[in-house]
Amino acid sequence: MSRLGDLIHLERTRRGLTPRQVAKLCSVNEKYILDVEQGKRIIQDDQARRILKKIGLEQQTEADFSLDDIAAAVDLHTVAPAIAPKEERESRPRPAASLPAQEETTGGIWLDALAGVLREVPVYNAAWQVVDHRTLAPQGGKIEGGPADKVLYFLMPDDSLRGFRVQKGDWLLTVPAHSPIDGAVMLVKWQQHCTARKIKWDGKRLLLLSFDRELEAEAVQPEDVQFIGRCVRLEAAL
């Protein structure tokens, strides 16, 4: 499912409505609703809001946030058990089509989500695969000064920066930066793999520094290195 599809499915089932009932309320066919819920049809935020409003959701989202921002703040797997079992839902009186049922839980998913709009930040390994996520709270649409939708974590694959207090398994929060920054630890793609290195750059000569058992400096041409971002924060497991 997509995040918007998850939210629509969750709010529909909270109210004991079938896809056919929702389709009738929204003047669309049942397949349209099922496709949206299953992530087979991509819809815009305003379309999702219209469907949710028809279902009976009164809360509106903050103007500064999209439904995807709010969806990222909600663990759908933890709220799903709040849906009543099928037998219990079927035993309840059916609401009129124009008046969707109201759950005993007030506020629904949006009030919980708006308690703190968060962003799921991906964690990449050295093979540039997403292996995990960490939820962070943007400030003014930014995380550590970088666009909230562009920051990422890098999972350090080795001890090549141990002398700089970065060890294997540490997470490096990285903000976009596409040029060398002297003195910074930066995430780079070099020699066909992704790694983190401390940068020495005087405008002409570029050195990639590593420090495991001893300090090593690799002289490279700037055009041979792809700079992904500046590592601004280290998170280590205790």
Side-chain angles (χ1 to χ4, degrees):
M1 291 186 182
S2 68
R3 288 196 174 280
L4 296 183
D6 283 341
L7 290 171
I8 291 171
H9 174 79
L10 180 58
E11 291 300 329
R12 174 178 68 77
T13 51
R14 278 179 184 271
R15 289 160 172 76
L17 295 172
T18 66
R20 179 173 295 181
Q21 288 174 313
V22 174
K24 184 176 181 180
L25 289 171
C26 298
S27 301
V28 296
N29 60 48
E30 183 178 0
K31 186 177 184 301
Y32 178 95
I33 297 298
L34 290 173
D35 285 349
V36 168
E37 290 187 354
Q38 294 168 10
K40 297 179 180 179
R41 182 185 293 268
I42 305 302
I43 63 173
Q44 301 299 318
D45 284 0
D46 57 348
Q47 294 174 297
R49 289 190 180 95
R50 183 175 66 85
I51 294 173
L52 290 167
K53 185 176 180 180
K54 290 290 186 180
I55 292 174
L57 189 66
E58 297 298 332
Q59 287 76 20
Q60 298 298 314
T61 61
E62 293 289 342
D64 292 339
F65 303 114
S66 70
L67 290 182
D68 271 340
D69 292 329
I70 294 172
V74 180
D75 186 344
L76 295 171
H77 297 292
T78 61
V79 296
I83 302 170
K86 180 179 179 182
E87 295 79 10
E88 181 181 340
R89 295 201 308 271
E90 290 179 347
S91 67
R92 297 176 183 175
R94 287 280 184 179
S98 61
L99 295 173
Q102 298 296 320
E103 294 291 334
E104 294 178 1
T105 303
T106 60
I109 196 171
W110 301 113
L111 291 183
D112 294 335
L114 289 175
V117 178
L118 306 177
R119 169 72 63 174
E120 280 192 343
V121 178
V123 180
Y124 286 86
N125 63 12
W128 209 240
Q129 300 169 325
V130 176
V131 295
D132 207 340
H133 289 83
R134 177 66 58 83
T135 303
L136 299 178
Q139 298 292 327
K142 295 182 179 295
I143 296 175
E144 295 290 343
D149 61 340
K150 301 295 184 182
V151 301
L152 58 92
Y153 279 99
F154 179 65
L155 179 63
M156 193 65 190
D158 51 37
D159 286 326
S160 59
L161 292 183
R162 181 166 54 180
F164 299 122
R165 298 186 295 178
V166 180
Q167 300 187 55
K168 181 178 179 180
D170 289 349
W171 289 17
L172 297 173
L173 181 62
T174 305
V175 301
H178 305 299
S179 300
I181 302 172
D182 185 47
V185 174
M186 299 193 71
L187 185 59
V188 299
K189 283 188 177 179
W190 174 59
Q191 293 184 344
Q192 300 183 337
H193 71 284
C194 186
T195 189
R197 288 289 183 265
K198 192 173 179 68
I199 304 300
K200 186 67 176 177
W201 169 244
D202 61 6
K204 296 180 179 179
R205 188 176 183 223
L206 176 63
L207 298 177
L208 302 182
L209 306 181
S210 60
F211 195 163
D212 186 351
R213 299 185 184 278
E214 60 184 24
L215 180 65
E216 297 182 2
E218 186 83 20
V220 298
Q221 296 298 318
E223 58 269 23
D224 293 335
V225 180
Q226 179 184 348
F227 292 90
I228 299 172
R230 179 175 185 171
C231 304
V232 296
R233 193 166 81 199
L234 180 148
E235 297 184 19
L238 297 177

